[in-house]
């Protein structure tokens, strides 16, 4: 059914509001007699994390069990996108009861149906327990307290594979407003006024980019959605595409009508099968409803989108490289200017925007630039989604207003460091970013403040590290990545990153010399200024920031030949303490046969022959083996 | 895949696919994706065939294939295991996991076992960082792999199918 005008869109919205009626629960009204009679919705998380821990199977079993117990017409099971709280997945939420169950497994299905739906009580063991206070929560979890979900507004709230749900949740209303009540220039003005900046890393003002693209005379212009998401440890873009693909399509339509493009491309990694699947469904449904194609909603505007697949090259996230990749060639960056806004895809003016940037567009149009500009800091408006991961209790997707401190994200939302260890550093910006030490935990984070402390926003990867992480090794890890991913065009980047990696390897093997630090710093500066694209220009950041904040640790490796975190293998020395009971277990498992000692006597390790494999330490039941 | 040494029908399928595309030269990457899905890898003969079909230099096809890490010119094992080497998995012990899988399969990352049962590779973040460290086998995700026994168990489930076959392009 093609929607021929705004009235039909609104009628469809009203007709489908019933789908969402259940899910708007202002306060905890669980199990009141009134809500008992309403049909229930079980929202099962279908994000990649929960998908990996069997959530589709849980959904299937739930449907079967409900059918068996004759509840099929009272309870509906739906699959959503990521709830953000991936650490505790698989997650499911029941509406209108306002109950969230965590770490659900297939074995829990029968109990959920019996206890929750038949007996009308909570399945206590599936509630979230705050590890610090041991308090149980059925709703309003501390994880969500400081968050503000704008880009993620529909993720976990609607079923992404049903366009009617998106439409009921104000979907395509912003498009309708843009097509019938605003001029292209007023849309661009509104986006400029909102202060929205690119979430793909650069932070370029989005409205200005649209304006620049529109200004260039051309018969054809293009809009590209950058869903390459190369930062290894970031997954917000894929989660938005999995949980709310229509919001990205709607934003592309809005961008297209504002800059004068009738064709859009979504460039996505082939490694994201679930996101691709949901996108394909969304595009198909949007075409069916006449929201993509000719004369959209009865206007003069025609627009369609096409998916283009990446093939595993980080540098293809860079906009000029991405454009070459779409053109079917090697994804190497080219010199700017000309910028894509001037000469992009097939030489035509092209606007490249990141997924998260786009997801912010429809709410800005509907609620106004002033609303959006009221959130965040002076120069960074709105919210930012972070992929919080590493040694933090609550790994997941977190959306907070710009200017929120790292401390709040890591300790309040993230629930602090795993296993009560101490915080050492947070890494933002992926391979282009830096490591932030504890003394900067209270910095309100936005684009500028992160650069000021030697890191950058990047796409929003936020990896937490504890005392057990070696900062030299982390720097080496990122350099390995850039060596792998450098496209090889510039000598400084191609050869320079290899040299950096070699020096770091030397240091972690205990073969470093003091002047290596100077060499590293000098080489870093050269690479920064003589590389063509952002990859080379920012590749030195992980080294520079760790040298600045963790110089002691470099010195320990170079001078004392020790790895304080106990990570760098060559520098480890395993030795047996007086806790040894002489059980002989370690000797039996040592692959080098270098542990000696008789039964009931303290054992000894021959350091010369030890392979530093750690097998002995793992086996000892008495904690008698330590390493330094 | 098939035991039949003739791959004519695969070339036919590839040609049909290419014929169905409105633009051809611009869609080289999509065509290579499709070809790799059909043949399992992209040997010279397949690259040359595509170059002929699209009327472009085979050096250009080779240039693209060698640029993108997703494309492989070597035949893969029947099952492909990938250890995640994204940052989140790295700080939660993926180096150890990688070493363990390498040890159990008796190969290094990037290699294929001599019986062609497994290929081992690495990926960078598959988005299941909450389950770090993570590995996938044929796309199925296994998380929280801190115990070598767990790895053994996973690999064993794939080893049981001992009838190996592979596509060889002559
Ligand atoms: C090496 C490199 C990798 C990049 N990777 C991505 C990426 O994966 N996703 C992305 O949206 N932007 C990436 N960018 C930034 C893009 O070049 C571009 O600035 C961005 O897509 C523009 O969209 P925005 O203004 O909405 O942020 C990368 C840049 C560089 C230099
Ligand atoms: S800086 Fe590195 S990745 Fe960028 S164009 Fe130069 S060689 Fe390629
Ligand atoms: S670390 Fe390995 S090689 Fe060294 S003593 Fe222990 S078990 Fe033996
Ligand atoms: S396993 Fe532990 S207790 Fe037993 S001999 Fe070795 S060090 Fe001593
Ligand atoms: S994938 Fe389920 S909560 Fe993130
Ligand atoms: S880093 Fe391994 S799944 Fe994200």
């Amino acid at each position: 059914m093609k929607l021929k005008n705004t009235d039909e869109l609104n009628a469809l919205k009203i007709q489908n509001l019933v789908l969402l009626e259940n899910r708007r629960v202002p306060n905890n009204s669980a199990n009141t007699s009134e809500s008992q009679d309403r049909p229930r919705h079980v929202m099962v998380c279908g994000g990649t994390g929960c998908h990996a821990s069997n959530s589709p199977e849980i959904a299937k079993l739930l449907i079967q069990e409900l059918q068996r117990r004759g509840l099929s017409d009272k309870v509906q099971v739906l699959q959503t996108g990521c709830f953000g709280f991936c650490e505790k997945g698989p997650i499911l939420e029941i509406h209108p009861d306002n109950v969230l169950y965590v770490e659900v497994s297939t074995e829990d299905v029968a109990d959920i149906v019996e206890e929750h739906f038949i007996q009308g009580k909570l399945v206590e063991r599936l509630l979230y327990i705050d590890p610090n206070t041991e308090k149980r929560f059925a709703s309003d979890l501390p994880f969500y307290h400081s968050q503000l979900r704008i880009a993620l507004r529909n993720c976990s709230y609607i079923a992404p594979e049903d366009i009617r749900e998106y439409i009921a949740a104000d979907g395509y209303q912003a498009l309708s407003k843009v097509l019938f009540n605003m001029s292209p220039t007023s849309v661009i003005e509104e986006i400029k006024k909102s202060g929205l900046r690119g979430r793909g890393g650069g932070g370029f003002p989005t409205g200005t980019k649209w304006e620049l693209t529109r200004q260039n005379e051309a018969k054809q212009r293009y809009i590209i959605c950058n869903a390459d998401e190369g930062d290894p440890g970031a997954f917000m873009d894929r989660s938005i595409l999995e949980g709310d693909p229509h919001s990205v399509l709607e934003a592309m339509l809005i961008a297209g009508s504002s800059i004068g493009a009738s064709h859009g491309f979504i460039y996505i990694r082939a490694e994201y099968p679930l996101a691709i699947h949901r996108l394909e469904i969304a595009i198909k449904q949007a075409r069916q409803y006449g929201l993509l194609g000719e004369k959209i909603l009865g206007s003069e505007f025609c627009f369609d989108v096409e998916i283009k697949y990446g093939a595993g090259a980080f540098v293809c996230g860079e906009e000029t490289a991405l454009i070459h990749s779409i053109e079917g060639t090697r994804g190497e960056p080219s010199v700017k200017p000309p910028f894509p806004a001037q000469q992009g895809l097939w030489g035509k003016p092209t606007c490249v925007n990141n997924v998260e940037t786009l997801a912010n567009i429809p709410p800005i149009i509907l609620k106004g630039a002033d609303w959006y500009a009221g959130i965040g800091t002076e120069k960074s408006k709105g919210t930012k989604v972070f992929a919080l991961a590493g040694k933090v209790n609550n790994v997941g997707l977190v959306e907070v207003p710009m200017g929120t401190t790292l401390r709040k994200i890591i300790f309040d939302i993230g629930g602090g460091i795993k296993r009560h260890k101490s915080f050492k550093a947070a890494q933002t910006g992926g391979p282009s970013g830096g490591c932030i030490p504890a003394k900067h935990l209270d910095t309100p984070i936005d684009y500028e403040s992160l650069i000021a402390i030697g890191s950058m926003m990047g796409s929003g990867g936020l990896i937490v590290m504890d005392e057990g992480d070696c900062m030299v090794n982390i720097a080496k890890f990122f350099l390995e990545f850039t060596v792998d991913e450098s496209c090889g065009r510039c000598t400084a980047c191609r050869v320079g990153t290899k040299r950096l990696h070699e020096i770091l390897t030397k240091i972690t093997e205990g073969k470093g010399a003091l002047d290596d630090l100077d060499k590293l710093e000098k080489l870093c500066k050269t690479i920064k200024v003589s590389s063509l694209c952002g990859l080379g220009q920012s590749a030195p950041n992980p080294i520079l920031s760790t040298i600045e904040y963790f110089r002691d640790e470099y010195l320990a490796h170079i001078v004392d030949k020790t790895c304080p975190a106990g990570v760098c293998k060559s520098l480890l020395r395993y030795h047996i303490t007086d806790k040894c009971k002489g059980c002989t277990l370690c000797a039996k498992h040592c692959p080098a046969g270098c542990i000696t000692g008789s039964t009931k006597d303290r054992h000894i390790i021959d350091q010369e022959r030890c392979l530093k494999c750690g097998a002995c330490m793992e086996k000892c039941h008495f904690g008698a083996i330590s390493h330094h | 895949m098939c035991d039949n040494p003739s791959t004519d029908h695969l070339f036919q399928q590839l040609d049909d696919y290419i014929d169905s595309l409105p633009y051809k030269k611009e869609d080289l990457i999509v065509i290579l994706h499709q070809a790799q899905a059909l043949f399992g890898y992209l040997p010279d003969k397949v690259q040359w065939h595509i170059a002929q079909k699209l009327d472009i230099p085979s050096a250009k096809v080779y240039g693209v294939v060698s640029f993108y890490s997703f494309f492989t010119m070597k035949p893969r094992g029947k099952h492909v295991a990938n250890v995640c080497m994204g940052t989140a998995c790295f700080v939660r012990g993926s180096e150890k996991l990688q070493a363990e899988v390498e040890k159990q399969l008796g190969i290094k990352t990037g290699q294929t076992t001599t019986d062609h049962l497994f290929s081992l590779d690495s990926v960078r973040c598959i988005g299941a960082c909450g389950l770090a460290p993570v590995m996938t086998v044929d796309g199925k995700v296994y998380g929280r792999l801190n115990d070598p026994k767990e790895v053994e168990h996973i690999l064993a489930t794939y080893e049981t199918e001992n009838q190996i076959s592979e596509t060889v392009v002559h």
Side-chain angles (χ1 to χ4, degrees), chain A residues 420-441:
Chain A
H420 301 288
K421 292 209 173 160
S422 60
F423 170 87
K424 185 169 194 175
Q427 211 279 349
T428 68
S432 313
C435 292
I436 303 164
K439 72 171 181 191
H440 289 311
L441 274 174

Side-chain angles (χ1 to χ4, degrees), chain A residues 174 177-194 207 210-211 214 254 257-259 361 364-365 368-369:
Chain A
K177 183 172 172 185
V178 162
L179 291 181
F180 299 103
N181 300 325
M182 292 174 88
S183 68
T185 43
S186 65
V187 174
I188 290 174
E189 277 315 309
E190 194 71 7
I191 301 297
K192 276 167 77 176
K193 215 168 94 194
S194 75
W210 289 14
E211 188 172 50
R214 185 183 166 78
I254 293 170
S257 80
S258 311
I259 65 174
I361 300 284
I364 292 175
I365 297 294

